[in-house]
Amino acid sequence: MLSTTAVPNTSYVTSGRNRIQRCMPKPIKFQGLSSAHPSLSRLRHPCLASKAPLRKVTLCALSNEEDVGAAGTATIGVGLVAVPVVCWSLLVLKNTGCGLPPGPGGSLGALEGISYLVVLAIVGWSAFTKSKTGFGLSAGPFGLLGAVEGFSYLALLAMIVVGVLQLLNFGFIPAPLPSAQCFG
């Protein structure tokens, strides 16, 4: 769905079916100069040089309801859960040297591991899209896909920083499964 937004005090000239040229809001006036030199009387505003009639045109802007497809919608839903879990895990890792505890039946540890993979997948999808199109992922509805993309990049940066700090402070990176060093 498109919404229209008018630009106040701006005139447009149309020449042809779909070509629109934006002109300055007010024409330039040369008061008293045309009598000083004959060539100055021919100077006109670029909008007035055309014989086409002047019309007011409204500019269209896309609304927040961008269609991102099923993959984008799934990425929004999963990313909104995965990024906070990764941040929580990194905070615990930074303070204790170990990630989140396995939890009942290993469910919390599984959520942690899947969340790391989701964040890496979002960053990978974004980087692939950027390399092919020159732009990252679209903003999506209400900017949620763009927010998930941005927070995924920040989470990746935090992973790198906390990983280096983990090596400096504790001397090891914990294994993905419980080991003798963490929860073993």
Side-chain angles (χ1 to χ4, degrees):
M1 184 171 136
L2 295 176
S3 62
T4 59
T5 307
V7 178
N9 298 327
T10 305
S11 56
Y12 294 86
V13 174
T14 58
S15 58
R17 184 172 177 166
N18 293 324
R19 293 170 30 201
I20 299 174
Q21 176 186 2
R22 182 172 180 224
C23 300
M24 295 170 54
K26 295 179 181 177
I28 302 170
K29 295 182 180 178
F30 296 99
Q31 297 174 342
L33 293 178
S34 61
S35 61
H37 197 276
S39 64
L40 291 178
S41 64
R42 287 181 292 209
L43 291 177
R44 301 230 183 241
H45 189 271
C47 291
L48 301 177
S50 173
K51 303 260 189 224
L54 292 176
R55 291 192 287 168
K56 291 285 183 183
V57 178
T58 57
L59 299 176
C60 297
L62 289 176
S63 67
N64 287 334
E65 302 297 325
E66 290 186 40
D67 183 28
V68 292
T73 304
T75 301
I76 291 170
V78 174
L80 287 174
V81 173
V83 172
V85 169
V86 166
C87 292
W88 178 30
S89 169
L90 291 172
L91 181 66
V92 171
L93 179 64
K94 167 70 176 80
N95 291 329
T96 66
C98 296
L100 296 176
S107 59
L108 191 56
L111 177 65
E112 176 186 22
I114 291 169
S115 295
Y116 276 97
L117 294 176
V118 166
V119 166
L120 292 176
I122 292 171
V123 169
W125 182 27
S126 170
F128 175 77
T129 303
K130 178 88 171 171
S131 71
K132 293 296 178 190
T133 64
F135 300 102
L137 302 177
S138 67
F142 306 106
L144 289 176
L145 185 56
V148 166
E149 176 187 18
F151 284 121
S152 294
Y153 275 104
L154 289 175
L156 178 64
L157 178 65
M159 284 182 215
I160 294 168
V161 169
V162 171
V164 169
L165 291 174
Q166 174 74 13
L167 284 173
L168 293 175
N169 294 335
F170 297 100
F172 70 96
I173 301 282
L177 296 175
S179 64
Q181 294 172 328
C182 292
F183 311 112

